[in-house]
Amino acid sequence: FYRKRKMTASKHRSITLTIFTGHQRHDIPNGKRIGLVIGAFVFVLTAIVAFSITENKNYREATFAAISRKATRYLRHNISTPDITPTQDVCQSEYPPYHPTLYDHRPDHVSHYTTYKSDASQAHNSIADDFPPVTDMPPNSKYSLWSTGDTHNAQASAWDPNTNFAVKGPWFHNPHDLMIQTTNVIKLEGDFVSYNTWIRGNYAHFLFDWLPTISYLRMAYPEPTKIILAYDKLSEKILKFLDEDFSNNRVQWIEVNQVYQIKGKLAVTAPKGIPESIGCHKNECRGWDPMRQWIAEKHPEKIEKKHVLFYRRGGATTTGKRVLDPALEKIVLEHIGQKLIQHGRNEEIKIFTGEDENGNSLSMEDQFTFFRGASTIIGPHGSGISGNFAWTDPFPSNCEERTQLLEFVPSRENSGIQSLYADSFNEIRKWPLDFHALLYSNEYSDEYHYTQINLQDFDDGLDAMWGGTKQIKSSFKTASG
């Protein structure tokens, strides 16, 4: 409609010019000529008014875009991480990471996997940045989050009602008629920076999509600035566990479908893509160091006696198809125990399901302990790993001190389990883990609900990760142990 309106106005503007430049005027009587001129003038005036209305209805798209580019700036805050080694310095020989190490006896699968994952990492680097740009709004601007019909997602609107300026970008919604809304507006005193992205209310997504940027904003916008976030019970629970004082005093929780007017300063994060936390600015990949620093500050606990954590999917809250065949899982655990003995490692094996022996969800404290004490994490891709990665040791200073992760992922034969090569690496590759992968080996069908892995490939992976020759006994423990 917008293009059609522009074309129509352009067309009649050329007709008007033809009249006024005198083409064929000798054939037009004076009376008719005056009538045509007046008619053309009225028509053009009508078109301009209609075009203006269309512009106002669309909130001056071109003007907004220009202002957005002019007002948007990138934060380049000096990242201070006194308690941790910057990620880029932990293991420089493997930095930046492009793909996990795959263990598979089929060369063509290794080649395809390596190329596929490397291309994906480079693509992510090209479309997303470590830190989202921000738009500084005028005083008394309004901000809101609007439901998209999906309980896990809400799109933001930020606008200045005095100038009709609105922030644009992925996950932003034009405020439409709400720009003139004057009733039911909650006023917030003070200075704020807002952040919103996709999939709230999900444990893993909050930790790898939301928390990295919240951590950075905490550092870039110190007190008394507060961070505006959509209220969610689980999000609040995680932040309270991480830093209760921050959750209580530095976060301004807001409700969806409610307009807020900011009386002080308002900075609005406007990422180039969703999710934005997967990118690396110039391959620096330092965007998650503020999160590591924050966790190191508030939870510096070190567990001296390490363990191997095996992640078992299949609890009461588990969804999806990535459940290892129970008979095969028993053999896999036996192989882990044998390899620990073979390589002289004295860790015990702990099985993590996210639940205790009574089927109740583990507390945040228990999940933290499981993952902070893990030297190696093994199991199928899932939220149990891609969320709790955040509680692994944040203090590695070299390649050998990193927590190792061996994750089972879908292959080309069974991408129906999940998307091809779906893993945690895509989301958490900026965390200093030692990433490894193993492909599911069977063709998955709805009739056969369990997955399989190749035991020889599994043994090869353990040998490559661990090495050593000392002999020492290993033991098993469940999630409650």
Side-chain angles (χ1 to χ4, degrees):
F1 178 75
Y2 179 75
R3 287 184 177 179
K4 184 177 180 181
R5 179 72 65 185
K6 288 187 68 176
M7 290 174 65
T8 302
S10 175
K11 179 179 178 182
H12 285 283
R13 185 163 56 247
S14 66
I15 292 172
T16 306
L17 286 173
T18 301
I19 293 171
F20 287 136
T21 52
H23 290 298
Q24 299 182 352
R25 287 180 63 170
H26 58 279
D27 295 328
I28 304 174
N30 287 337
K32 290 184 178 181
R33 184 184 305 163
I34 294 172
L36 282 171
V37 171
I38 294 173
F41 177 78
V42 171
F43 185 88
V44 170
L45 182 62
T46 302
I48 290 172
V49 171
F51 181 70
S52 177
I53 292 172
T54 303
E55 277 194 309
N56 285 327
K57 187 175 181 180
N58 288 279
Y59 301 108
R60 304 174 194 246
E61 298 280 345
T63 305
F64 285 166
I67 296 176
S68 293
R69 285 194 295 271
K70 190 174 181 179
T72 297
R73 61 185 176 86
Y74 278 93
L75 294 173
R76 284 292 176 261
H77 182 77
N78 181 31
I79 298 176
S80 176
T81 56
D83 299 318
I84 63 169
T85 301
T87 299
Q88 61 188 13
D89 297 330
V90 171
C91 190
Q92 294 184 3
S93 62
E94 299 179 17
Y95 185 90
Y98 283 103
H99 60 82
T101 301
L102 178 68
Y103 302 101
D104 197 285
H105 61 283
R106 300 163 295 183
D108 61 317
H109 281 66
V110 175
S111 175
H112 186 273
Y113 173 88
T114 302
T115 301
Y116 186 96
K117 298 297 289 185
S118 295
D119 289 348
S121 294
Q122 294 185 53
H124 290 159
N125 288 356
S126 68
I127 63 172
D129 203 348
D130 255 352
F131 313 117
V134 297
T135 299
D136 296 315
M137 301 295 293
N140 296 312
S141 291
K142 293 182 178 180
Y143 184 82
S144 61
L145 295 171
W146 308 111
S147 174
T148 61
D150 178 352
T151 57
H152 294 291
N153 293 305
Q155 292 188 345
S157 294
W159 69 98
D160 176 15
N162 296 320
T163 63
N164 276 4
F165 164 62
V167 175
K168 293 195 171 297
W171 229 241
F172 275 83
H173 185 70
N174 281 339
H176 296 307
D177 295 337
L178 297 166
M179 289 191 73
I180 60 174
Q181 181 174 342
T182 57
T183 60
N184 194 29
V185 176
I186 296 177
K187 295 181 179 180
L188 299 177
E189 301 287 344
D191 297 337
F192 298 86
V193 57
S194 68
Y195 181 62
N196 180 58
T197 188
W198 70 344
I199 312 182
R200 74 181 189 281
N202 178 282
Y203 183 76
H205 278 277
F206 183 81
L207 285 160
F208 63 69
D209 278 332
W210 291 75
L211 193 57
T213 301
I214 293 172
S215 302
Y216 180 68
L217 295 175
R218 167 183 172 266
M219 184 177 290
Y221 290 88
E223 294 184 276
T225 301
K226 291 187 175 183
I227 301 176
I228 295 176
L229 299 174
Y231 178 74
D232 174 78
K233 186 177 181 179
L234 180 58
S235 302
E236 183 184 40
K237 179 181 178 181
I238 296 171
L239 282 181
K240 280 185 177 293
F241 170 75
L242 172 58
D243 187 341
E244 186 168 4
D245 180 70
F246 175 86
S247 179
N248 292 337
N249 300 308
R250 293 288 314 279
V251 177
Q252 177 66 57
W253 299 105
I254 66 171
E255 297 294 337
V256 176
N257 298 325
Q258 170 66 56
V259 176
Y260 296 83
Q261 186 168 30
I262 313 302
K263 305 303 289 184
K265 297 178 182 178
L266 172 62
V268 179
T269 55
K272 293 189 294 184
I274 297 293
E276 82 285 353
S277 59
I278 58 177
C280 289
H281 175 65
K282 298 180 180 178
N283 282 335
E284 291 177 0
C285 293
R286 291 205 62 193
W288 287 30
D289 282 355
M291 177 174 163
R292 285 178 56 219
Q293 173 63 31
W294 191 8
I295 294 172
E297 288 176 16
K298 300 301 178 180
H299 294 277
E301 300 93 319
K302 293 189 177 182
I303 299 176
E304 297 301 329
K305 184 170 175 53
K306 297 293 186 178
H307 54 261
V308 172
L309 188 151
F310 183 84
Y311 173 43
R312 173 189 290 160
R313 286 180 61 85
T317 59
T318 300
T319 59
K321 309 171 182 178
R322 291 153 282 151
V323 178
L324 198 63
D325 186 307
L328 177 61
E329 182 184 279
K330 182 178 180 180
I331 299 173
V332 165
L333 290 169
E334 291 174 353
H335 278 234
I336 295 174
Q338 292 166 4
K339 289 297 180 182
L340 284 170
I341 295 173
Q342 176 185 334
H343 296 300
R345 300 173 68 98
N346 62 356
E347 297 106 318
E348 61 186 12
I349 302 170
K350 292 188 177 182
I351 299 174
F352 176 81
T353 64
E355 300 174 348
D356 62 21
E357 65 274 16
N358 297 317
N360 299 316
S361 296
L362 289 176
S363 66
M364 292 288 297
E365 291 78 8
D366 286 339
Q367 294 186 66
F368 174 89
T369 301
F370 264 93
F371 281 80
R372 178 57 63 90
S375 63
T376 305
I377 302 167
I378 300 172
H381 169 54
S383 293
I385 292 175
S386 56
N388 285 306
F389 80 92
W391 313 132
T392 59
D393 185 358
F395 299 105
S397 59
N398 55 56
C399 300
E400 290 70 30
E401 292 178 356
R402 296 174 300 169
T403 301
Q404 296 175 315
L405 171 60
L406 176 58
E407 200 169 23
F408 309 154
V409 301
S411 66
R412 286 180 288 178
E413 291 94 347
N414 44 54
S415 57
I417 297 174
Q418 203 178 8
S419 59
L420 179 63
Y421 302 143
D423 61 6
S424 299
F425 177 81
N426 283 346
E427 286 78 25
I428 66 175
R429 66 194 176 98
K430 291 190 283 187
W431 203 256
L433 298 174
D434 185 10
F435 292 95
H436 303 263
L438 200 72
L439 300 178
Y440 291 125
S441 59
N442 64 301
E443 293 186 9
Y444 188 87
S445 66
D446 291 335
E447 291 77 24
Y448 188 69
H449 297 285
Y450 296 121
T451 56
Q452 304 280 324
I453 60 171
N454 183 286
L455 286 173
Q456 184 58 59
D457 292 337
F458 182 64
D459 286 346
D460 290 344
L462 297 180
D463 286 337
M465 290 193 301
W466 291 345
T469 57
K470 292 182 180 179
Q471 304 290 305
I472 196 162
K473 186 176 180 181
S474 163
S475 61
F476 295 88
K477 282 199 174 184
T478 63
S480 59

